[in-house]
Amino acid sequence: MKKVLFFIGLLLSVVNVAIAQKKTTPINIEHADHFDINQTEIPDAALLRGNVRVSHDGVIFTCNKAYFFQKENYLKAFGDVQMVQGDTLFLNSKYAEYNGEIKQAYATGNVVMRSPESTLVTDTINFDRNTQEAFYNSYGKITNRENTLKSKSGRYYANEKKFKFLTAVTITNPKYTIKSNHLDYYTNSGHSYLFGPSTITSKENYIYTEKGFYDTKKNLAYFKRKSYIKYKDRRIEGDSLYYDRNREYASATNNVKITDSINKGLIKGHYAEIYRDLKTQKDSMMITKRAVAITLVENDSMYVHGKKMIITGKPGERIVRAFNNVRFYKTDMSGKCDSIHSDQKTGLTKLIKNPILWNYENQMTGDIMHLIGNNQTEKLDSLKVLNNAFIISKDTLSTGYNQVKGQNLYGKFVDNKLREVDIIKNTEVIYYMRNDQQELIGINKSVSSKINMILDKNTIETITNFNQVDGDIYPEAELPENARKLRGFIWRGDERIKSKDDIFPPEENELDAKIQAETKVEKAKEDKPLEPSKETLEYDKNNPKPKPKAEQSELELVKPSAKQKPIVK
C-alpha cells in the first residue's frame, strides 16, 4: 500500500513539473514590409517596419515599426499602434510594449481604449490580459452614448465591463452631474455604484449620499447611507431613498424627514412618497407610519399626526390632509378628530368628524370645527364650531364643571390665545361664580339667545348673556347635583393630549421602537460598498445586442489577407 501511494505521489509530481515547464506561446509575426537584424544598434532584436502585424493568443497588434525580442518574447511597437482583442477591446496609442511571457501590455501617448460600450482617452495605460484588467494613473476621459466620465485614475475590468475609480471622478450627463471618490461604473448597463461622500447635481435637485446606486440609462436610483434629496423648497432624508428622475418621483423609508424651507415646516414618518410636477409646480406628497407634521406658529410648534398624511399644491398654496385618528398638539392647544383638511392659501383648517379641542383647561366639541389663520402674521386668527357647540372646564376649587352650549361658536384669538368667544342660538350656561377671594357666590344656570365670554388662559374673566335671558344664580345648596350638568355633557379629560408624544397611538410607538432598534443594528455593521445587483451582473444576458457595423469593419481592417504569411516562426 505504501508503494502504491509513493508511485501516485511521484506521478503527481511529474505532472506538476510538466505543467510548470510548459512553454508560453511565442509572439507570432504575421507581416512586415521590412525585416532587419542589427546587433549593434538593437542587440537581440528584430526590426520590423511598414504595416507591421503581430498576434499572440487571440490578440493582434498593428503598428508602423516594432522591435521584436524573440528570446524574451517581448515586443516594442511605435507609431499608430493598435491592439485588438477579439471584438471586445481596441487599444490605440503612439507607443506600446507587450510581454508575451506574462501577457501584459503597456501603452502611452494619446491612448484610446475602446469597447463596444465606451471609449477611454488617457496618456498611459497598463493592461493585464490574464486578469483582463486595465489601469491608468493619468487623467482619463471616458465617453459613451449617455455620459462622459473624467477621473485622475481608474481601473477597467474587461470581463465585467466595469470601471472602478478610487479618486475624484465626475460623470457628466445632459441632465445631471455625479461626483464621487469611490465609484464603480458598468459600461454596458450604465449602472453606477457610489461609496463615500458623493453628490448628484441637476437643475431640479441636489442629491447627497455615502452609499448608493444610479442607473444612468433609466435614471433610477436608490441610496442607503446619510442620504438626502434637496429641492429649492424641500429636503428629503431617510435611511433608504428611491428616486425616479423621469417621473420626478421619490420615496423614503425609515426615519424619514422632509424639511419645508419656505413654510418653516417639518414632516416625519417611516415611509413617504413625493411626486413633483416641474411644469405646474403642483407637487404631492404622502407620508405614513408614525407620520407627524410640525409647523412653526410664531415661537411655538404645532404637531399634527394622522395614520396617513397627504400634502399637495404649489409652494405657498399647499393643501394638507390627515386621515384616521388625527391628533394634534401645541403648547396652549391640542385636539383630535377623524381627519383634517388645511388650506395654506386661505389659512383655513377643518377638523372633520368627532372633533374635540382643548385650549388650556377648556374642552370644546361640536360637529365641525374650523381654525382660521392669518397668513400675514402667521398667527391663529379665529375659531368656528358649527352645530352642537359645547365648552366645558373644571371649576378650579370644586368638583363642578363650567359649561356653555349652543348651536354655533365663534372665537377670536389674540397672540395665538383664545381670547373672546360668542355662542349663538339656543345657548345654555352653568357657571360657578366666585369673588376676588375665590369664594363661591353661586351657580349661574341660564338660557339665552347669545352668550359672550372673555377668557384669560384657563379662566373665564366675564360671561354675558344676551336677549331672552331665562335663569338665575343659585346658592350651591339649592342646586342639586343632577341639575349641574347640561344635556349632552361628556367630560373627556382622560383623553386630553398633554404633550407632543401623546399624539401617537401605542401601536405606532411600538413600530418606531422596532425600527430604531433595527437602525441601531444596521449602523453597527461594517460599512461596505453595495454589492452589484443581479440585473447589473446579467445585463448582457438579458439585453443581447448585435455587433455594431462600425466595429465589424474595424475587425476587417486587421484580418490578414490571403497573401500575407508569417515571416518569423
Side-chain angles (χ1 to χ4, degrees):
M1 185 65 181
K2 289 183 179 179
K3 289 183 178 181
V4 173
L5 292 174
F6 171 77
F7 283 117
I8 291 174
L10 181 62
L11 179 61
L12 290 174
S13 298
V14 171
V15 170
N16 289 333
V17 170
I19 292 173
Q21 292 178 345
K22 184 180 178 181
K23 294 182 179 180
T24 56
T25 306
I27 293 173
N28 184 29
I29 309 301
E30 295 187 358
H31 177 82
D33 291 344
H34 301 281
F35 177 84
D36 296 307
I37 295 177
N38 189 329
Q39 289 292 341
T40 303
E41 185 177 339
I42 313 170
D44 300 324
L47 171 61
L48 311 174
R49 289 181 296 170
N51 298 311
V52 178
R53 178 187 172 92
V54 178
S55 63
H56 184 253
D57 279 351
V59 68
I60 296 172
F61 290 90
T62 60
C63 61
N64 296 332
K65 184 177 77 171
Y67 296 153
F68 174 52
F69 300 86
Q70 189 170 11
K71 290 181 180 180
E72 290 84 5
N73 208 21
Y74 199 89
L75 183 77
K76 292 183 178 182
F78 305 84
D80 295 330
V81 182
Q82 183 180 62
M83 184 186 84
V84 179
Q85 179 178 274
D87 60 352
T88 60
L89 193 68
F90 301 84
L91 183 62
N92 293 77
S93 64
K94 288 184 177 181
Y95 173 77
E97 296 181 13
Y98 179 72
N99 189 330
E101 296 295 304
I102 57 176
K103 291 187 177 182
Q104 290 184 356
Y106 164 84
T108 187
N110 297 334
V111 176
V112 178
M113 186 181 77
R114 289 173 291 122
S115 67
E117 298 83 15
S118 62
T119 299
L120 164 65
V121 177
T122 187
D123 180 69
T124 302
I125 199 166
N126 292 274
F127 181 58
D128 188 335
R129 293 189 62 211
N130 298 297
T131 60
Q132 288 295 298
E133 295 180 18
F135 59 92
Y136 61 94
N137 290 314
S138 54
Y139 173 85
K141 180 179 179 181
I142 303 157
T143 56
N144 60 18
R145 290 183 179 180
E146 294 84 16
N147 309 297
T148 299
L149 293 83
K150 295 180 180 180
S151 68
K152 294 180 179 179
S153 63
R155 187 176 289 268
Y156 178 67
Y157 301 82
N159 292 336
E160 300 175 60
K161 298 180 179 178
K162 178 182 79 171
F163 278 97
K164 189 178 191 70
F165 307 98
L166 296 176
T167 55
V169 59
T170 300
I171 300 179
T172 303
N173 182 283
K175 293 184 178 180
Y176 54 84
T177 300
I178 299 175
K179 291 185 178 182
S180 180
N181 284 327
H182 187 154
L183 184 146
D184 289 352
Y185 178 78
Y186 291 80
T187 58
N188 54 349
S189 61
H191 292 177
S192 298
Y193 290 84
L194 306 138
F195 186 67
S198 307
T199 62
I200 304 170
T201 307
S202 70
K203 183 180 178 181
E204 290 78 27
N205 55 40
Y206 173 88
I207 300 171
Y208 176 87
T209 185
E210 293 188 8
K211 183 190 291 187
F213 163 84
Y214 198 101
D215 186 331
T216 62
K217 289 187 176 181
K218 295 181 180 178
N219 279 319
L220 301 176
Y222 59 84
F223 310 106
K224 300 290 290 183
R225 183 177 175 83
K226 296 182 180 179
S227 306
Y228 63 83
I229 304 174
K230 186 177 181 181
Y231 296 94
K232 290 180 181 178
D233 59 333
R234 283 182 181 171
R235 172 174 161 143
I236 302 160
E237 304 172 55
D239 289 354
S240 177
L241 298 178
Y242 172 83
Y243 178 56
D244 182 339
R245 188 178 296 278
N246 296 327
R247 294 192 299 148
E248 275 304 328
Y249 164 84
S251 65
T253 304
N254 292 348
N255 296 302
V256 178
K257 185 165 71 171
I258 302 170
T259 306
D260 189 331
S261 57
I262 291 179
N263 302 304
K264 301 177 183 177
L266 180 65
I267 299 172
K268 293 182 177 181
H270 289 303
Y271 182 74
E273 295 183 358
I274 301 97
Y275 291 90
R276 293 182 63 85
D277 191 321
L278 299 178
K279 292 182 179 180
T280 64
Q281 298 296 312
K282 292 182 179 179
D283 306 335
S284 60
M285 176 172 61
M286 183 279 295
I287 190 159
T288 186
K289 296 184 178 179
R290 207 172 186 264
V292 57
I294 306 168
T295 307
L296 185 64
V297 181
E298 204 176 22
N299 294 320
D300 198 2
S301 294
M302 170 79 84
Y303 298 81
V304 180
H305 162 75
K307 287 192 175 180
K308 180 188 286 187
M309 303 187 76
I310 296 176
I311 297 96
T312 57
K314 296 180 181 180
E317 298 180 9
R318 307 281 194 210
I319 299 227
V320 180
R321 288 173 287 173
F323 305 94
N324 300 331
N325 194 17
V326 174
R327 304 179 183 193
F328 57 92
Y329 171 80
K330 187 172 167 287
T331 304
D332 56 359
M333 181 185 298
S334 62
K336 56 197 291 189
C337 58
D338 181 70
S339 60
I340 276 181
H341 184 285
S342 183
D343 188 326
Q344 188 180 36
K345 187 176 181 179
T346 62
L348 174 61
T349 299
K350 299 178 182 178
L351 281 60
I352 304 166
K353 195 175 181 181
N354 302 319
I356 181 169
L357 184 71
W358 290 276
N359 178 243
Y360 290 103
E361 301 302 320
N362 302 304
Q363 172 188 296
M364 286 175 272
T365 55
D367 293 349
I368 298 174
M369 285 190 186
H370 291 176
L371 282 167
I372 300 96
N374 187 317
N375 288 332
Q376 293 181 346
T377 62
E378 297 183 350
K379 296 180 180 180
L380 288 171
D381 180 78
S382 54
L383 165 70
K384 293 181 182 179
V385 181
L386 307 177
N387 300 326
N388 300 310
F390 207 136
I391 300 179
I392 305 172
S393 66
K394 269 190 173 183
D395 179 57
T396 54
L397 298 176
S398 71
T399 59
Y401 296 88
N402 295 312
Q403 304 155 60
V404 181
K405 66 177 292 189
Q407 183 167 330
N408 297 325
L409 179 152
Y410 301 94
K412 189 70 176 175
F413 289 90
V414 176
D415 293 330
N416 290 314
K417 297 174 178 60
L418 190 60
R419 177 61 176 166
E420 185 174 0
V421 172
D422 287 318
I423 300 177
I424 63 170
K425 202 170 183 180
N426 302 325
T427 62
E428 300 178 60
V429 62
I430 294 178
Y431 179 60
Y432 287 70
M433 301 181 67
R434 297 182 179 276
N435 59 23
D436 293 340
Q437 287 73 41
Q438 294 300 305
E439 297 170 337
L440 184 62
I441 299 171
I443 302 173
N444 181 354
K445 183 175 183 180
S446 59
V447 297
S448 61
S449 59
K450 177 182 176 181
I451 293 174
N452 174 268
M453 294 191 302
I454 304 298
L455 294 89
D456 181 19
K457 293 186 178 180
N458 62 336
T459 60
I460 299 173
E461 277 191 348
T462 63
I463 183 167
T464 307
N465 298 71
F466 295 89
N467 302 331
Q468 302 174 358
V469 179
D470 184 14
D472 205 348
I473 297 175
Y474 298 89
E476 184 179 14
E478 295 182 10
L479 189 65
E481 287 289 335
N482 59 4
R484 297 183 187 182
K485 292 180 182 177
L486 299 175
R487 181 177 295 181
F489 173 94
I490 301 176
W491 177 246
R492 297 166 63 182
D494 57 336
E495 299 178 37
R496 183 180 174 186
I497 298 164
K498 298 179 180 179
S499 74
K500 65 181 189 317
D501 297 322
D502 290 346
I503 63 175
F504 301 109
E507 64 272 15
E508 298 209 25
N509 284 330
E510 290 174 9
L511 172 66
D512 180 64
K514 179 181 177 183
I515 290 173
Q516 299 309 330
E518 292 172 351
T519 300
K520 186 177 181 180
V521 171
E522 190 65 29
K523 286 183 177 180
K525 294 180 180 178
E526 182 183 356
D527 194 23
K528 297 180 180 179
L530 291 170
E531 292 292 333
S533 67
K534 185 178 180 181
E535 181 186 0
T536 299
L537 298 177
E538 298 182 359
Y539 185 83
D540 287 336
K541 177 182 175 182
N542 298 325
N543 298 273
K545 292 182 180 180
K547 296 176 183 177
K549 292 182 180 180
E551 289 168 12
Q552 291 174 345
S553 63
E554 286 172 333
L555 287 173
E556 294 294 332
L557 291 175
V558 297
K559 286 182 179 178
S561 66
K563 296 180 181 180
Q564 293 176 345
K565 296 180 180 179
I567 59 175
V568 177
K569 294 185 179 179

